[in-house]
Amino acid sequence: MVSKARHSITHALHRGEEWIFRNPKIVLSMVLIVTILFGLALPRLRIFTDFADLLPQNHAYIKVYNRLKENFGGANMIVMAVEVEQGTIFNDETLKLVHAATQGIDSLPGVNHNQVSSLTHRTARKVFIDDQGGFASQPYYDPMKPLHTAAELDQLRKDVVANPTMYGLLVSPDMKAALIKAQLNESSIDYPATFAALQKVRASLAAPGHHIYVTGNPVLTGWVYTYLNQIVEILAWTIALLATLLIVYFRRFYGIALPLLGIALSSVWGLGFMALTGINLEPLSLPIPFLIAARATSHGVQLVVRYYEELAIVRDGKRAARNALDALFRPGSLAIIVDAVGIAVLMLGAAPFNYKLGMAAGFWGFSVIFTVHFMVPLALTILPAPKKHENANQGVRNFLGKAMALTGGTEGGARSILILALIGALGGMYFVSKVQLGESEPGSPLLHRNHDYNISTRAINTRFPGSEELHVVARTDEKGGIKRPEVMAAIERFQAHMLADPALGGTKAIPGVVRVVNKLTHNDDPRWMQLPDNADETGGLMFAYMASSPIPGALKEFINADENEADIVFYYKDHQADTINRVVALAEEGIAKIQKEVPGLHIELGGGIIGVTAAANQALHTDHMIIIPAVMLIAFLIVMAYYSSLHAGWLMVLPMLFSTLLTYAYMGAMHIGLSVNTVPVIAVGVGVGIDYAVYFMDRIREEYAALRDIRQAVVNAVATTGYAVSFTAATLIAGVVMWIFMSDLRFQSDAAILLSFMLIVNAIAAMLIVPAWCVVFKPKFVTATQYDEDGVLEAA
């Protein structure tokens, strides 16, 4: 019954194929019309980074982050440091420079002016008791008074040291540097414009004896945007390299022009689809479209290679094109569908970025059926047949065949290949255990270690407690609940609990402010630097602090207007995976303990770059455990259904498992962490293995049906399809290799190396493991085959 159903489907497909070849101009016109429609949408395509797309929006931390970012600050913070070479910052020249930096940062596009902090900012004020016994305040720095006496500078230094919200956090403990911090409004971030304005501010601050450093997520993203022109240059060089490879390989016009036309058509379809659906191109994910385009080339190469093989036999251009599609339509379509579905699995990821990438790349991959798989053989039917019929590069084919005959073509050689593959996989397990979720080193792995951004990050983290912030919110059920003495004490206990981590550089929260103001009300007596024992007194001290400042929102960075949410900030020097895992575990332990002690108090994680990265890492772990196995499971099910054989499904997935395992081993050995950027690269690379394996498997079945000798079938498959696979691997590598040598973005360079490694391992696995397995185990779906009345190979 199953066999009859499969035969009827095969027969229907064959009739559809016949109609396509009877009407090549109609089909090609349809492809052209769709291409034009997609092409008209290309001007609407946008290249930009949407920070919210990178975050798992349903994660508990991100829900807290989204609720609090407008009041207490988000993860898009610019941090600038002004450092003096000699002496301290308490001199007129340096203070003037700090003030100029503060004004420059405050004037950047997209800055939230209520969330700018600096020693010289208008909200940085010294609070004191005036001669009438009332609270008063004055700015630490008055820009209208550019010159100060030595005594005034010394007093300023003492005032800063006396304020725990200034000393150590905005002025370095050694007093040689000052920080300027500014949050951006995430709803309207224009990274290129903000970064360009920031660079102008930085250039204007250049002064002898001083260093200016800038870090933060907007700065990192801004640096990435500066390389867009370089990306266009890499694209041009990549096309030139692919054309060169095609010229060297084919030395024939059709072999060069048609695969390149396939790249152009599939790219127009893919990019046009993104433009029509409003999906933006993420700069860091650009190697993936390059790889998809190169994969379109590989399918085109398979068709043109087979066309020239058939042409040498039948010496008729139209018949050769028909035979090529007859032989490759099913395995090629299977490979393309598995590719597309495997990429589309990215839509299961928690971050909107994964969903958009999966949708766009999945459609792009599937479009190859029309832009390459139909287009190439149909174009060959209407183009004049080549005058030269002989098969080029026959010497290389003969070499590959002889090499396989001496190794995998023998029973002992095939077993040796499988044993060596098993040993390699077991050895790779050691390095797989070293792969980390998240960043594996300080700074940003997106840029080279000696990049200005990473130099700035190291310099700031050397002088200060840390530029990486974790925001934790303390929330009470009732308004004004933060003023309760037990809540204030609980916040301090949580801070003390987190200080058990030696990597924590500092912390700030509302209890610290209340203690300082309480001391001021008692003649600056340090014995009164304590928390009041009732909510009314705490509220009075908070009101006194706010009333002392002529600037509204003096406590906005610490507490909300309803006084039922308070922000607790912790400072770290990096957001490596180890740091985040340790911090989150410690925080959750403290939260569970303190919430039990204080009814009605809720402590929630989620703010700052540490909080959102922790959420991304946790979601990434879940995504990773779903996406990669799902790619393999779907490949297994599709191939199994196609061949009606569990063995076939396993044999197709086997090289994928081997290459994926070695890929993770490579990542562990090279300290490349799993991130929202690397998981899509792996998912796309994993699917490449199925391309090679499907083409090999089908050629082995075809050769065995003719020869009835599994060893000779394997040798012939390697001599023919093996050569095409080796070249397609070269074209795929050519699609990303230029990133290694030309990209100043370290991540793109590392991703290109990773993809090249995966492509090479996939090709080796398909060329050795699949044939060797067939020789040793002689699977039934290979050996029990026959041609039906349509000349289609099917299971007997």
Side-chain angles (χ1 to χ4, degrees):
M1 188 70 180
V2 174
S3 177
K4 288 183 179 179
R6 185 173 63 249
H7 177 74
S8 63
I9 293 172
T10 301
H11 188 64
L13 289 173
H14 184 75
R15 282 186 309 207
E17 188 181 317
E18 287 183 330
W19 183 89
I20 289 172
F21 267 95
R22 284 197 304 268
N23 303 278
K25 294 182 179 179
I26 294 175
V27 177
L28 289 174
S29 297
M30 292 170 63
V31 171
L32 179 61
I33 290 170
V34 175
T35 303
I36 292 172
L37 293 176
F38 279 127
L40 293 174
L42 287 179
R44 293 156 54 185
L45 181 66
R46 297 177 298 164
I47 302 177
F48 69 93
T49 297
D50 186 342
F51 184 71
D53 278 354
L54 304 177
L55 305 180
Q57 294 297 323
N58 291 324
H59 194 283
Y61 295 177
I62 303 304
K63 290 180 179 179
V64 172
Y65 170 79
N66 289 334
R67 190 178 82 241
L68 301 177
K69 62 186 179 183
E70 293 303 323
N71 285 331
F72 301 133
N76 277 286
M77 174 184 283
I78 295 174
V79 181
M80 176 179 282
V82 178
E83 181 185 82
V84 63
E85 291 181 358
Q86 301 294 328
T88 71
I89 64 166
F90 296 103
N91 63 81
D92 288 325
E93 181 185 3
T94 303
L95 290 172
K96 183 178 179 181
L97 202 62
V98 172
H99 178 67
T102 304
Q103 295 298 103
I105 294 293
D106 203 2
S107 66
L108 294 177
V111 163
N112 185 332
H113 303 293
N114 293 321
Q115 293 179 351
V116 177
S117 55
S118 161
L119 170 62
T120 65
H121 192 257
R122 62 184 183 278
T123 56
R125 307 179 73 84
K126 173 188 175 181
V127 180
F128 58 93
I129 305 294
D130 63 19
D131 54 6
Q132 302 298 318
F135 275 90
S137 69
Q138 64 183 30
Y140 284 102
Y141 179 78
D142 183 359
M144 304 304 294
K145 185 181 179 181
L147 299 178
H148 300 80
T149 65
E152 288 173 331
L153 291 171
D154 187 57
Q155 184 59 47
L156 173 58
R157 180 186 62 79
K158 291 177 181 179
D159 291 340
V160 167
V161 171
N163 187 343
T165 65
M166 298 294 300
Y167 179 62
L169 300 183
L170 292 177
V171 176
S172 63
D174 61 5
M175 302 187 187
K176 293 186 71 65
L179 284 188
I180 302 94
K181 295 183 176 182
Q183 291 280 352
L184 298 187
N185 294 307
E186 291 188 6
S187 60
S188 59
I189 298 179
D190 184 339
Y191 288 109
T194 300
F195 183 73
L198 175 64
Q199 290 295 78
K200 289 182 180 179
V201 170
R202 189 179 182 185
S204 70
L205 297 173
H210 295 82
H211 300 286
I212 309 297
Y213 302 107
V214 284
T215 187
N217 184 68
V219 182
L220 174 62
T221 307
W223 275 117
V224 171
Y225 272 93
T226 63
Y227 297 112
L228 288 180
N229 290 335
Q230 185 184 70
I231 290 171
V232 174
E233 182 183 354
I234 293 173
L235 171 62
W237 280 104
T238 298
I239 294 173
L241 179 59
L242 287 172
T244 302
L245 286 174
L246 292 169
I247 291 170
V248 170
Y249 180 74
F250 284 107
R251 298 189 293 279
R252 297 177 180 183
F253 177 73
Y254 294 165
I256 300 163
L258 291 178
L260 290 178
L261 179 60
I263 285 183
L265 293 178
S266 65
S267 297
V268 170
W269 281 43
L271 295 175
F273 176 81
M274 294 180 72
L276 286 173
T277 54
I279 297 175
N280 59 292
L281 260 179
E282 162 63 49
L284 287 176
S285 68
L286 284 176
I288 293 176
F290 275 63
L291 182 61
I292 296 174
R295 285 165 84 166
T297 307
S298 73
H299 290 292
V301 167
Q302 291 281 356
L303 285 163
V304 176
V305 167
R306 189 58 181 258
Y307 168 77
Y308 281 121
E309 283 184 21
E310 296 294 334
L311 185 64
I313 297 171
V314 301
R315 297 183 176 273
D316 178 85
K318 291 185 178 180
R319 187 63 201 164
R322 175 64 189 271
N323 289 351
L325 187 60
D326 277 345
L328 297 182
F329 175 72
R330 289 159 188 80
S333 299
L334 175 64
I336 291 169
I337 291 170
V338 172
D339 282 351
V341 174
I343 298 172
V345 169
L346 288 170
M347 295 172 67
L348 299 176
F353 165 75
N354 284 333
Y355 182 86
K356 292 180 179 180
L357 180 62
M359 180 190 296
F363 175 83
W364 193 336
F366 183 75
S367 72
V368 171
I369 286 183
F370 306 100
T371 58
V372 175
H373 219 52
F374 287 164
M375 183 277 294
V376 169
L378 292 179
L380 287 169
T381 62
I382 62 176
L383 291 171
K387 295 179 180 179
K388 297 175 68 175
H389 296 162
E390 69 274 7
N391 217 333
N393 304 313
Q394 190 61 44
V396 179
R397 289 179 167 82
N398 292 338
F399 170 78
L400 287 173
K402 290 178 181 178
M404 179 53 66
L406 296 173
T407 54
T410 66
E411 189 82 19
R415 291 183 185 277
S416 298
I417 288 173
L418 295 179
I419 291 171
L420 288 173
L422 179 61
I423 293 172
L426 293 175
M429 293 294 291
Y430 170 76
F431 292 103
V432 170
S433 63
K434 295 183 177 296
V435 177
Q436 290 186 348
L437 278 170
E439 310 295 4
S440 58
E441 59 185 56
S444 173
L446 299 182
L447 302 170
H448 291 284
R449 293 181 180 90
N450 61 350
H451 191 279
D452 177 84
Y453 176 84
N454 284 328
I455 292 173
S456 291
T457 302
R458 285 195 298 270
I460 291 172
N461 286 332
T462 298
R463 296 285 185 193
F464 291 88
S467 60
E468 316 284 359
E469 295 185 358
L470 168 66
H471 289 243
V472 179
V473 63
R475 177 174 56 85
T476 60
D477 294 331
E478 76 283 6
K479 291 182 179 181
I482 294 297
K483 295 181 292 186
R484 288 160 45 195
E486 65 271 25
V487 172
M488 283 284 184
I491 292 174
E492 285 200 330
R493 287 201 305 278
F494 182 71
Q495 288 179 285
H497 177 80
M498 296 297 288
L499 283 167
D501 185 353
L504 177 59
T507 177
K508 71 174 182 179
I510 187 63
V513 176
V514 172
R515 283 179 178 273
V516 170
V517 178
N518 197 15
K519 183 184 73 166
L520 283 173
T521 62
H522 294 84
N523 298 315
D524 222 15
D525 187 341
R527 292 176 297 177
W528 283 94
M529 196 169 180
Q530 56 185 275
L531 295 174
D533 59 5
N534 64 83
D536 290 340
E537 188 176 347
T538 299
L541 293 172
M542 290 165 55
F543 176 78
Y545 182 83
M546 289 187 289
S548 70
S549 173
I551 308 298
L555 285 179
K556 192 173 182 181
E557 63 178 303
F558 297 101
I559 194 168
N560 69 344
D562 289 333
E563 298 178 341
N564 67 336
E565 288 183 340
D567 189 30
I568 314 168
V569 186
F570 301 93
Y571 299 93
Y572 297 89
K573 295 182 182 295
D574 64 74
H575 56 273
Q576 294 181 84
D578 288 342
T579 301
I580 290 177
N581 293 340
R582 187 179 64 251
V583 167
V584 169
L586 186 63
E588 290 179 343
E589 177 189 340
I591 290 171
K593 178 181 178 182
I594 292 172
Q595 285 186 161
K596 287 181 181 179
E597 298 172 350
V598 183
L601 174 64
H602 310 279
I603 302 178
E604 301 168 327
L605 291 170
I609 193 67
I610 296 287
V612 299
T613 305
N617 287 354
Q618 291 178 13
L620 182 66
H621 176 72
T622 303
D623 291 351
H624 178 251
M625 298 303 292
I626 293 173
I627 290 173
I628 304 303
V631 171
M632 295 190 180
L633 178 61
I634 290 172
F636 172 80
L637 293 175
I638 293 176
V639 174
M640 181 191 70
Y642 176 79
Y643 289 111
S644 298
S645 168
L646 286 169
H647 201 156
W650 159 249
L651 185 52
M652 293 300 102
V653 171
L654 181 61
M656 293 172 65
L657 284 170
F658 176 77
S659 60
T660 303
L661 182 64
L662 290 191
T663 297
Y664 285 122
Y666 174 82
M667 293 178 66
M670 301 305 293
H671 307 291
I672 300 174
L674 284 171
S675 69
V676 71
N677 295 310
T678 55
V679 167
V681 170
I682 297 170
V684 172
V686 164
V688 174
I690 202 73
D691 286 3
Y692 301 149
V694 165
Y695 280 119
F696 253 112
M697 194 73 271
D698 223 69
R699 189 59 183 256
I700 292 173
R701 292 177 81 233
E702 182 183 334
E703 293 291 340
Y704 183 83
L707 301 172
R708 294 295 163 180
D709 182 337
I710 191 64
R711 296 181 185 178
Q712 191 57 46
V714 163
V715 170
N716 288 0
V718 171
T720 53
T721 301
Y723 184 56
V725 163
S726 63
F727 179 74
T728 56
T731 60
L732 287 170
I733 293 171
V736 297
V737 73
M738 300 307 293
W739 296 89
I740 299 174
F741 305 107
M742 296 184 64
S743 179
D744 289 328
L745 284 170
R746 179 183 165 198
F747 165 74
Q748 290 182 337
S749 177
D750 288 347
I753 295 173
L754 179 63
L755 279 170
S756 298
F757 178 84
M758 293 185 73
L759 295 170
I760 292 170
V761 173
N762 271 316
I764 293 173
M767 290 181 67
L768 296 178
I769 294 177
V770 172
W773 188 278
C774 290
V775 169
V776 173
F777 296 101
K778 302 175 180 62
K780 186 178 179 181
F781 78 96
V782 173
T783 57
T785 55
Q786 64 182 18
Y787 286 98
D788 66 8
E789 70 275 11
D790 297 319
V792 177
L793 187 65
E794 65 175 16

